[in-house]
Amino acid sequence: MSVSFCGLELAHPILNGSGTFDAIAANKAFADDLRDAFPFAAYVSKTITLEPRAGNPPPRLWEAAAGLINSIGLPNKGLQGYLAEDLPQLAGLTTVREPGAEPQTVPLITNVMGSTAHEFSALVEACETREEIAALELNVSCPNVKTGLDIGADPLQLEQLVRAVRPLTRKPLIIKLTPNTADVAACAQGAQEGGADAVSLINTLRAMSLTPVDPSGPAGGRAWLGGRTGGLSGPAIRAVALAQVAAVAARVAVPVIGMGGVQSGAHARELLDVGATLVAVGTESFRDPAAGARIARELGDPARGEAAPSEESAR
Amino acid sequence: MSRAPFARRLLTVAGVDRLGAYLVLRVEDPDGPQPEPGQFAMLAAEERWGGGEGERPYLPRAFSVARQRGGEAHFLLEDVGPGSRRLCELGTGERLWTLGPLGRGFTAPPSGRRAILVGGGVGIAPLAILQDRLQEEATVLLGFRDGARAEGAALLEQARVATDDGSRGHHGLVTDLLAQEVERDPLAVVYACGPAPMLEGVRAMCAASSVPAQLALEAGMACGFGACFGCVVPCRGGGYLRICVDGPVIDAAELDHVDAHAGAPA
Ligand SMILES: Cc1cc2nc3c(=O)[nH]c(=O)nc-3n(C[C@H](O)[C@H](O)[C@H](O)COP(=O)(O)OP(=O)(O)OC[C@H]3O[C@@H](n4cnc5c(N)ncnc54)[C@H](O)[C@@H]3O)c2cc1C
Ligand SMILES: Cc1cc2nc3c(=O)[nH]c(=O)nc-3n(C[C@H](O)[C@H](O)[C@H](O)COP(=O)(O)O)c2cc1C
Ligand code: FES
């Protein structure tokens, strides 16, 4: 089941979606030491920005039909805090593919976001100097201050951004595309032209919910989320993810990381079948923290289908 | 801090007891880690819960461990929406996924200092296991909306009750009772869980009389283990705390106010 991706050797094709698994917090919350039995084959950090961010005011969550709308607002310690405090704690994660097998290193992928090419450049240059970081993922879902559109929503603008940062790093450069665009395959192509080594998708779909006046009554007409709008994830977006991943994989030659609503090995298999090389798991980890390892198991052995509950609870 | 195994566990319902407007869900858990008072678990019924076809509930829901004894974990449930309703429907022998114990619980009072437990509505749950574990006798003050809910007071021993509608005990707020106690014993330590306005009342009163207070907060949670950053409350000095990993029990001194979304169902 091991797979190579942009020169990295991974124990299996399942990694986490950025911002959906805090390895440091999880290692404190659980009794098991996750550092040597990590559920994912690669670990993607949540989005890091140049300056620290507190994130959006609460409420930040809304459960939608078979999904979740979040307006977290990218809270993070800022580049310096991440490099100084978090990165040393994240280095040295390993995963075990099968019981008894040799532990395998979990490469660290750092996800960064800037609001200008200049900010992206500063982030990429700083990460380039750190050998703990195996690859970089650029989150281009940040709104352009002038147009209000996501930076990554325009193929030409995206190509220029990637072209500007490409020379600043030798590490694999992954572009996390925004799904909130007219033609995601054209954006993927723009990223490839600019020099991207891979693309990942889908990020959350822009969504909104209104305040309930009374749980059984009508909605109150005001935005519920502190950030007003948020992003939809989970099973609700799986069919959209499949269509977008298929369209992108058909258009570009670089490898594709597919994600969006994956809950099982069968769902991961669908994304691989339409051309993804790796599959990321996001919201499902909230329901089952060990989902990454379970989905990798199910993928390796489809006959086992959904994890047998007895087996999971026996762990 | 007692820590959860890194896996959901599928446990079986041992029984369900009615307690006025609430239910006590008893779950067989002979081998689970011993939770500390104030810790919680993420619960989801095995059947008819998410999985892609259903609408809501989809994510697991957070519930305080109300009690752990005789190989059973007890949870106090109030039907306030689709998730709590589904859990209320569970019968003996049915199964549910549990992840826990999670979060930071209460810290025992320094010896010789009296604990005052202040609960509101379904927020009385973590105070029951706290009362079980305290070495010395605590003062228990519980507030409820009405008489049916006030029957929940039987979860704790020797509780003084206040009701909004005057159907039982003091006609008014539980914080009225707390004011008398704090005045009588300024060396007491307060432990509180309940709706946000009650917690804010407790916080302000304790701050004004320099009485230490530990508040068990609640918020909408997606994960319960620090992964989503969704369950935050604003803290003193700016920024936010994640209730699931920095709490749910938070020292009142860390807050300027209790956020309107950070309490138990009213
Ligand atoms: C640490 C902790 C401990 C808790 N302990 C207990 C306990 O011991 N006993 C107990 O009964 N409860 C407890 N709760 C509260 C319990 O988790 C909630 O009542 C439960 O999650 C509600 O889910 P629901 O589906 O029943 O209702 P929902 O409809 O999900 O929630 C009811 C409230 O949430 C908001 N809401 C409504 N719709 C949505 C939506 N679509 N998405 C997000 N929010 C929405 C509204 O304010 C609504 O009034 C605890 C919570 C926490 C965080
Ligand atoms: C709570 C939450 C926080 C997220 N934070 C980030 C983030 O910081 N950076 C990012 O690129 N994507 C972020 N995402 C998007 C996910 O990485 C993923 O693209 C998306 O959720 C779709 O996958 P899923 O349906 O499996 O969750 C976040 C998603 C959620 C639900
Ligand atoms: S519930 Fe997800 S971080 Fe607290």
Side-chain angles (χ1 to χ4, degrees), chain A residues 37-50:
Chain A
F38 203 66
F40 301 104
Y43 178 64
V44 184
S45 76
K46 62 195 167 73
T47 294
I48 307 299
T49 51
L50 268 185

Side-chain angles (χ1 to χ4, degrees), chain A:
Chain A
M1 260 332 266
S2 65
V3 32
S4 51
F5 171 81
C6 297
L8 307 173
E9 287 303 317
L10 307 186
H12 57 73
I14 305 297
L15 65 172
N16 66 298
S18 171
T20 62
F21 198 89
D22 181 335
I24 296 171
N27 209 41
K28 288 190 194 136
F30 296 109
D32 307 57
D33 193 343
L34 299 187
R35 277 168 306 189
D36 43 64
F38 203 66
F40 301 104
Y43 178 64
V44 184
S45 76
K46 62 195 167 73
T47 294
I48 307 299
T49 51
L50 268 185
E51 299 302 326
R53 286 170 63 105
N56 287 335
R60 291 180 172 182
L61 302 173
W62 177 266
E63 187 183 78
L68 171 68
I69 308 179
N70 83 80
S71 77
I72 307 297
L74 306 178
N76 76 96
K77 295 178 174 173
L79 177 66
Q80 292 317 322
Y82 169 76
L83 295 178
E85 295 164 31
D86 290 1
L87 199 51
Q89 291 187 67
L90 295 170
L93 294 174
T94 57
T95 185
V96 196
R97 180 69 196 94
E98 289 288 336
E102 278 292 294
Q104 213 166 320
T105 314
V106 173
L108 300 180
I109 301 176
T110 297
N111 177 302
V112 298
M113 180 165 96
S115 50
T116 60
H118 189 75
E119 280 187 26
F120 270 111
S121 300
L123 288 156
V124 169
E125 273 181 319
C127 291
E128 173 63 11
T129 64
R130 295 295 292 261
E131 64 184 34
E132 301 99 312
I133 300 176
L136 285 162
E137 183 174 63
L138 307 191
N139 176 355
V140 294
S141 293
C142 175
N144 176 307
V145 229
K146 290 199 202 100
T147 63
L149 291 176
D150 286 357
I151 289 187
D154 177 61
L156 199 61
Q157 207 187 341
L158 181 58
E159 181 181 334
Q160 285 165 354
L161 172 70
V162 179
R163 209 180 284 290
V165 299
R166 173 71 278 183
L168 305 176
T169 183
R170 283 158 302 160
K171 299 186 196 289
L173 195 57
I174 307 161
I175 309 302
K176 177 133 180 209
L177 301 168
T178 171
N180 301 310
T181 176
D183 186 352
V184 70
C187 295
Q189 195 169 8
Q192 177 175 273
E193 305 291 321
D197 296 300
V199 292
S200 54
L201 74 161
I202 67 174
N203 208 323
T204 56
L205 294 163
R206 193 164 303 128
M208 185 177 182
S209 58
L210 301 182
T211 303
V213 165
D214 159 55
S216 56
R222 281 182 299 115
W224 165 262
L225 296 169
R228 219 180 88 81
T229 61
L232 179 64
S233 66
I237 70 169
R238 194 166 60 238
V240 178
L242 192 63
Q244 293 207 358
V245 169
V248 165
R251 183 78 71 90
V252 297
V254 294
V256 175
I257 305 176
M259 69 192 94
V262 171
Q263 298 186 284
S264 66
H267 298 157
R269 169 57 56 201
E270 289 190 345
L271 289 173
L272 296 174
D273 284 348
V274 299
T277 301
L278 302 179
V279 170
V281 172
T283 309
E284 182 65 4
S285 295
F286 301 162
R287 296 174 10 110
D288 172 7
R294 168 174 58 81
I295 291 168
R297 257 196 335 264
E298 292 168 0
L299 194 57
D301 185 358
R304 275 155 78 184
E306 293 280 334
S310 54
E311 177 197 344
E312 203 177 334
S313 52
R315 268 192 46 134

